[in-house]
C-alpha cells in the first residue's frame, strides 16, 4: 500500500498537515493533521510498503518493540484508509 | 472598458463591463502601469453564478470574478493570500477576527470601535489581502468589503489574528500551530495547483511565526473587547504608535 497521488504534507512545528492538491482537491476538502510518528509513517508510505516493512521502519526509527510498532502502524494505516488516502 | 487599479500595492488592469464593478473598485483606481491584466469572460460570469449560493444580479458576479482572478495571480506571484475575516487597525496595527459566519464578527468589531473610539479603524470587513513585503506581513484593504461595505484603501502591519467563538464569559488564549493553520486554511481560497498550495503553506508558516494567533471567546459585553485588547496588547499599553 501507498499514499495516493494528489496529497501534500507540510510540517508545522512538531505536527504536520496533509492537504489535497491537483484534480482530487475539489472533492477532498478535509485537512488531516499528523503527529510526528504519523508524519514518519506517512512519508514511509510515499513508496509502496507492506505492514511488516512499516513496522520494521518504526522499530528502527523509534526503538520500540516490534509488537508496539506493528500495532501503531496498523491503527495508523486503518485511519489513513478511512480518510481515503491509501492506494492498494 | 479597461481600467487600472492598485490593490495591496499591486497594480493591474481589468476589462469590466458593469458600473457596479467600477463603483466597487473606484477607491483603488490607479494612474500608472499595470503589472498584469484581467479579462472577465462570459464563462467566468457563468462560473460565478454557479458557485454563488444566492441568485445575485450579474454585475455582482463580475466583481467576484475580478476578485477571484486577482487572488489567484497574487498568490502565485506576490507572496500574498486572501483571508476571510473582519480586520481593524488599532493604533495603526492590524487585528483580524475570523469565525464561521453567524458567530458575531461584526458585533465584536463594533465593541472595539465603541470602547476604543478613534484608535480603531476598519481596514476591511470581509476579504482583506495579507501580503508579505520585505519579510513583514501586512493587511491590506480591498474593494471587497462585505455586506456592510466597510473598509478603506490602507495597509497596516499585521499584529494579531483571533479565532472568534461565542461564550458566556470572555477569555483570550494561545492556540497551537496546527490548529491555526487548519482553521486559516478553512478561511481562504485553497488552490488545487500544487505549486500554489505549496506557496500558500510556506506563507502561512511565516505568517504564524510573526503574527500572534489567539483563541478568543467572547460574549457581547464591552468587556469582550477589553479582554481581547489586553490579551493582544497587554504588555505595552501607552507604547507609541507603530506604522
Amino acid at each position: 500500500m501507498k499514499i495516493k497521488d494528489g496529497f501534500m504534507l507540510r510540517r508545522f512545528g512538531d505536527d504536520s498537515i496533509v492537504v489535497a492538491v491537483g484534480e482530487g482537491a475539489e472533492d477532498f476538502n478535509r485537512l488531516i493533521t499528523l503527529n510526528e510518528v504519523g508524519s514518519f509513517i506517512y512519508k514511509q508510505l510515499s513508496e509502496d510498503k507492506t505492514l511488516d516493512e512499516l513496522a520494521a521502519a518504526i522499530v528502527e526509527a523509534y526503538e520500540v518493540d516490534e509488537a508496539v510498532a506493528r500495532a501503531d502502524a496498523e491503527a495508523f494505516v486503518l485511519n489513513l484508509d478511512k480518510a481515503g488516502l491509501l492506494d492498494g | 472598458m479597461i481600467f487600472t487599479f492598485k490593490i495591496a500595492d499591486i497594480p493591474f488592469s481589468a476589462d469590466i463591463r458593469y458600473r457596479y464593478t467600477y463603483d466597487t473598485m473606484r477607491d483603488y483606481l490607479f494612474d500608472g502601469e499595470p503589472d498584469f491584466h484581467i479579462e472577465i469572460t462570459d464563462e467566468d460570469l457563468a462560473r460565478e453564478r454557479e458557485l454563488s449560493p444566492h441568485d445575485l444580479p450579474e454585475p455582482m458576479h463580475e466583481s467576484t470574478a475580478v476578485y477571484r482572478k486577482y487572488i489567484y495571480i497574487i498568490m502565485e506571484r506576490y507572496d500574498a493570500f486572501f483571508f476571510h475575516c473582519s480586520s481593524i487597525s488599532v493604533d495603526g496595527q492590524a487585528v483580524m477576527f475570523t469565525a464561521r459566519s453567524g458567530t458575531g464578527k461584526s458585533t465584536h468589531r463594533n465593541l472595539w470601535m465603541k470602547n476604543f473610539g478613534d484608535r480603531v479603524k476598519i481596514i476591511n470587513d470581509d476579504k482583506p489581502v495579507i501580503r508579505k513585503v520585505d519579510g513583514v506581513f501586512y493587511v491590506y484593504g480591498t474593494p471587497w468589503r462585505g455586506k456592510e461595505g466597510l473598509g478603506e484603501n490602507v495597509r497596516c502591519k499585521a499584529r494579531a489574528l483571533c479565532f472568534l467563538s461565542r461564550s458566556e464569559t470572555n477569555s483570550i488564549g494561545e492556540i497551537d500551530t496546527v490548529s491555526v493553520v487548519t482553521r486559516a486554511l478553512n478561511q481562504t481560497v485553497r488552490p488545487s495547483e500544487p505549486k500554489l498550495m505549496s506557496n500558500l503553506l510556506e506563507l502561512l508558516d511565516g505568517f504564524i511565526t510573526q503574527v500572534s494567533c489567539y483563541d478568543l471567546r467572547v460574549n457581547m459585553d464591552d468587556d469582550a473587547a477589553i479582554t481581547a485588547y489586553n490579551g493582544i496588547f497587554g504588555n505595552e499599553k501607552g507604547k507609541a504608535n507603530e506604522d
Side-chain angles (χ1 to χ4, degrees), chain B residues 17-61:
Chain B
R17 58 185 97 163
Y18 293 110
R19 176 84 202 188
Y20 172 85
T21 309
Y22 173 84
D23 285 341
T24 301
M25 300 180 66
R26 63 185 307 159
D27 289 352
Y28 293 81
L29 283 167
F30 175 63
D31 187 16
E33 279 300 302
D35 281 10
F36 58 87
H37 179 70
I38 288 175
E39 195 73 41
I40 301 300
T41 64
D42 290 340
E43 288 75 41
D44 294 325
L45 294 177
R47 181 160 175 268
E48 292 303 332
R49 205 175 303 122
E50 221 170 89
L51 288 171
S52 171
H54 310 290
D55 189 14
L56 301 174
E58 181 118 320
M60 292 175 83
H61 293 311

Side-chain angles (χ1 to χ4, degrees), chain B residues 93-241:
Chain B
Q93 299 186 58
V95 178
M96 294 161 268
F97 303 105
T98 188
R100 288 199 187 90
S101 68
T103 305
K105 271 180 299 204
S106 332
T107 309
H108 186 68
R109 173 252 291 150
N110 283 339
L111 286 175
W112 279 70
M113 301 186 79
K114 180 181 162 201
N115 283 280
F116 301 108
D118 287 349
R119 295 169 61 193
V120 173
K121 292 191 177 67
I122 296 178
I123 301 172
N124 181 282
D125 211 28
D126 192 45
K127 295 182 174 76
V129 162
I130 319 284
R131 187 179 173 203
K132 188 172 79 169
V133 183
D134 297 329
V136 178
F137 284 88
Y138 293 93
V139 180
Y140 285 85
T142 72
W144 303 285
R145 286 170 270 229
K147 274 183 286 212
E148 296 172 55
L150 300 171
E152 282 178 68
N153 186 357
V154 293
R155 84 163 190 183
C156 298
K157 196 175 160 196
R159 171 60 188 252
L161 168 60
C162 300
F163 293 93
L164 196 72
S165 57
R166 280 209 212 162
S167 167
E168 295 269 313
T169 52
N170 297 310
S171 65
I172 182 163
E174 305 238 319
I175 182 168
D176 69 280
T177 305
V178 163
S179 302
V180 172
V181 179
T182 52
R183 294 197 206 183
L185 284 171
N186 287 327
Q187 299 293 344
T188 185
V189 175
R190 259 192 259 168
S192 58
E193 212 270 300
K195 182 75 181 70
L196 283 185
M197 189 69 213
S198 171
N199 286 355
L200 176 62
L201 293 172
E202 179 71 30
L203 211 53
L204 280 175
D205 199 4
F207 178 81
I208 57 184
T209 54
Q210 205 175 101
V211 180
S212 309
C213 299
Y214 300 98
D215 180 18
L216 177 59
R217 300 174 187 210
V218 292
N219 58 30
M220 291 191 254
D221 302 334
D222 288 347
D223 177 58
I226 293 160
T227 301
Y229 178 91
N230 288 340
I232 298 166
F233 297 101
N235 299 326
E236 50 178 283
K237 258 187 242 170
K239 198 179 156 191
N241 291 359

